[in-house]
Amino acid sequence: MSLTQSPYSAHLDTFTRENLPPRSTWPEFLFTGPELQYPASINCATDLLDKHVMAGAGSRRCLVTDTETWTYADLLARSNQVAHVLIEEAGLVPGNRVLLRGPNNPCAICDSRFIEDLERAAIPRLTTLKYGGSGPDDLTTLAGSKSADLENVATAADDVCMLAFTSGTTGKPKATMHFHRDVLAIADTFSRHVLRPTPDDLFTASPPLAFTFGLGQIVVFPLRVGAATFLIEQPSPTRMLEAVERHGITVLATAPTAYRAMVPDLKGARVSSLRACVSAGETLPKATWDAVHDACGIRIIDGIGSTEMLHIFISAADDEIRPDSTGRAVPGYIAEVQDPDGRPVPDGELGRLAVKGPTGCRYLRGDRQTTYVQDGWNITGDVYVRDSDGYFHYQARADDMIISAGYNIAGPEVEEALLRHDAVAEAAVVGVPDEDRGMIVKAVVVLRPGAELGPDPAKTLQDFVKSEIAPYKYPRAIEFAEALPRTATGKLQRFRLRERS
């Protein structure tokens, strides 16, 4: 056993524990409330899946697509069969890493349609199992002959169970490390206290399962309470709305841009089944919140989370929502707005967001660990203002604050103003170097099809922004584009716009 290994660890392969950052660089973890008191030995898969079958709820629907429905008993049986293939055919032992590559569908390992991606990667000593195809070596075929019974591994609560990669909004994605207890904690904080799901809920979401926003919304949260998930391989705004109408989706999660794209169709859509709509991944503009609410009465739940923290830690729902605010610290978490030295700033003042709770940042091999974690706090890289009621108001990413001629200008505020113009479909604002002002505000704008802005479109939008916010904040440069650079999860990559400028 490794010297750094937990006495309860079940891992025979100790790679992940040996590559955790030094414990002195970890954030402080808080476990307040009885729901966060986890035992020393816990397997999150047992709590999310097996326990429902053992409790007699195996016949409840679990995974739904347009063509089939799996019950909890179905998923448990197939999961156990796949596990037997991994153990008996691929030689998997506790602690080994398994790479998953596929769209949002009820299978595992690598979709046969994407197998060439792994082959091109030429990863040494990688055993690849494909599914969704045919032949004797396909995972579906191999699993079909295996037993549906399996004794789960008694892992430690602090055994690493997942390596999640950041989405790459600021550059190269980083691997974050999460324990079994972390997976349950995101359900026992944000989901339990904000979403408040029941076994009758039907979830769907656009983010891929590989990203923690999607993992929470369509795996962890529904399975924690015995609810069901509707899986969409290509979750465009149109297809998500169709799914809501056809299947009676009750909980929907997607990015702000998708909600904005839905607005023209919302007034005529049958969305009465929706009781909760979650927005995360990037800030939700008030203009988008208002447009959705005006179209159909839905009050979008905004939230800020991070891959490092695994999911959302500031949010609000129902009558607690304030459309110009991200919300308040989710029960189980505490948050502060701090100055650069880590001291809390008075309410109403700008500062960096700092968070503590039952989850926190641990980078694989510790790269950038001491940048994200300082004095026990997770420093998310966001600039916020907290008001006297404890609501947090997003200003910008720390590297997106624009200082022009001595003024602090938050890019999202300018984006918000641009989005209030009927001709604007999307907008992104960055600071670019300027000899006279140090930096100027530059906007990259995607117009709606058929939009008319007169002979000087840029001036039309500049004048509009001046009428909406303080005139000195208007974009002195405007570029029109067909699309904005985004990650696989739909997050805006502002660093690419800065590089382009």
Side-chain angles (χ1 to χ4, degrees):
M1 178 182 292
S2 164
L3 293 177
T4 60
Q5 192 170 355
S6 163
Y8 297 96
S9 178
H11 285 186
L12 301 179
D13 178 344
T14 59
F15 171 88
T16 53
R17 189 165 293 276
E18 290 170 355
N19 283 278
L20 284 163
R23 191 173 290 268
S24 61
T25 67
W26 292 14
E28 179 185 0
F29 291 101
L30 307 177
F31 299 97
T32 57
E35 66 272 16
L36 298 177
Q37 305 305 309
Y38 302 113
S41 179
I42 195 169
N43 184 321
C44 65
T46 303
D47 273 44
L48 294 176
L49 179 55
D50 298 62
K51 76 170 187 179
H52 298 295
V53 178
M54 292 187 289
S59 62
R60 292 193 64 86
R61 67 177 181 174
C62 181
L63 301 180
V64 182
T65 71
D66 278 327
T67 58
E68 59 184 330
T69 296
W70 289 14
T71 65
Y72 273 82
D74 291 334
L75 181 60
L76 178 59
R78 298 189 195 193
S79 297
N80 286 344
Q81 289 177 315
V82 169
H84 277 294
V85 174
L86 292 173
I87 296 166
E88 297 161 16
E89 310 295 333
L92 198 74
V93 300
N96 285 162
R97 278 79 59 216
V98 177
L99 175 67
L100 307 182
R101 176 75 172 96
N104 288 358
N105 57 31
C107 301
I109 320 304
C110 183
D111 191 301
S112 59
R113 292 169 292 178
F114 303 135
I115 202 72
E116 289 183 3
D117 292 347
L118 289 183
E119 291 173 349
R120 282 198 300 269
I123 302 172
R125 300 182 301 280
L126 179 68
T127 299
T128 303
L129 291 170
K130 63 180 180 179
Y131 69 87
S134 59
D137 63 340
D138 189 83
L139 180 61
T140 307
T141 303
L142 292 170
S145 64
K146 300 296 185 182
S147 169
D149 297 316
L150 180 78
E151 183 178 350
N152 287 8
V153 176
T155 46
D158 62 352
D159 271 337
V160 174
C161 72
M162 177 172 57
L163 300 177
F165 286 82
T166 60
S167 58
T169 53
T170 59
K172 185 178 180 180
K174 300 173 288 294
T176 65
M177 310 177 77
H178 300 288
F179 297 157
H180 281 266
R181 73 181 187 215
D182 301 336
V183 174
L184 300 181
I186 63 172
D188 298 336
T189 52
F190 173 74
S191 183
R192 177 188 178 102
H193 295 286
V194 179
L195 291 185
R196 297 188 287 274
T198 73
D200 294 327
D201 275 315
L202 180 60
F203 285 67
T204 199
S206 64
L209 291 166
F211 292 91
T212 58
F213 183 26
L215 180 76
Q217 296 292 331
I218 52 181
V219 177
V220 179
F221 299 165
L223 265 62
R224 187 61 163 154
V225 297
T229 287
F230 182 78
L231 296 174
I232 313 176
E233 283 202 12
Q234 295 177 318
S236 67
T238 299
R239 290 187 178 182
M240 283 190 288
L241 274 183
E242 290 172 351
V244 171
E245 294 183 326
R246 236 181 8 256
H247 297 278
I249 305 295
T250 60
V251 182
L252 171 68
T254 190
T257 50
Y259 284 116
R260 185 168 178 82
M262 291 179 188
V263 169
D265 299 320
L266 277 175
K267 287 185 179 179
R270 300 185 303 276
V271 295
S272 59
S273 64
L274 284 173
R275 66 164 194 82
C277 290
V278 182
S279 173
E282 57 187 356
T283 185
L284 175 66
K286 185 176 182 297
T288 300
W289 194 99
D290 289 338
V292 171
H293 186 257
D294 292 345
C296 64
I298 289 173
R299 297 173 60 83
I300 299 177
I301 298 170
D302 194 11
I304 179 174
S306 69
T307 308
E308 289 86 350
M309 300 288 288
L310 195 52
H311 213 274
I312 292 172
F313 44 79
I314 292 177
S315 187
D318 304 324
D319 293 338
E320 298 292 311
I321 293 173
R322 295 185 182 178
D324 62 344
S325 158
T326 307
R328 293 185 285 201
V330 169
Y333 291 91
I334 60 174
E336 288 184 355
V337 178
Q338 300 179 344
D339 67 17
D341 296 321
R343 295 184 294 259
V345 302
D347 289 341
E349 290 191 12
L350 288 170
R352 68 183 193 181
L353 183 64
V355 187
K356 290 180 184 178
T359 63
C361 177
R362 293 169 300 258
Y363 286 123
L364 178 68
R365 295 200 171 104
D367 292 347
R368 295 190 68 252
Q369 182 71 18
T370 55
T371 299
Y372 202 96
V373 178
Q374 298 177 28
D375 297 322
W377 292 92
N378 296 276
I379 308 301
T380 68
D382 300 283
V383 177
Y384 264 83
V385 169
R386 190 180 70 177
D387 65 27
S388 58
D389 294 326
Y391 280 81
F392 289 81
H393 300 259
Y394 178 77
Q395 304 301 303
R397 290 287 296 171
D399 53 5
D400 290 331
M401 286 297 292
I402 303 164
I403 302 175
S404 180
Y407 291 104
N408 284 327
I409 302 171
E413 182 185 9
V414 185
E415 293 169 1
E416 167 85 28
L418 285 163
L419 289 171
R420 288 197 283 268
H421 196 289
D422 291 339
V424 177
E426 295 184 79
V429 167
V430 294
V432 298
D434 179 78
E435 186 174 337
D436 296 326
R437 295 176 170 270
M439 298 185 85
I440 60 168
V441 177
K442 177 182 177 179
V444 181
V445 174
V446 178
L447 297 177
R448 292 192 181 279
E452 290 292 338
L453 288 172
D456 192 342
K459 187 175 187 306
T460 298
L461 291 180
Q462 288 170 330
D463 291 343
F464 177 80
V465 171
K466 289 178 184 178
S467 71
E468 294 287 307
I469 57 177
Y472 70 86
K473 298 179 180 180
Y474 84 96
R476 294 174 182 271
I478 294 183
E479 174 188 336
F480 294 95
E482 294 293 322
L484 299 178
R486 295 189 177 276
T487 67
T489 53
K491 289 185 180 181
L492 182 64
Q493 294 179 307
R494 286 187 177 83
F495 78 95
R496 295 201 180 279
L497 298 178
R498 285 193 289 268
E499 287 173 351
R500 215 159 74 188
S501 299

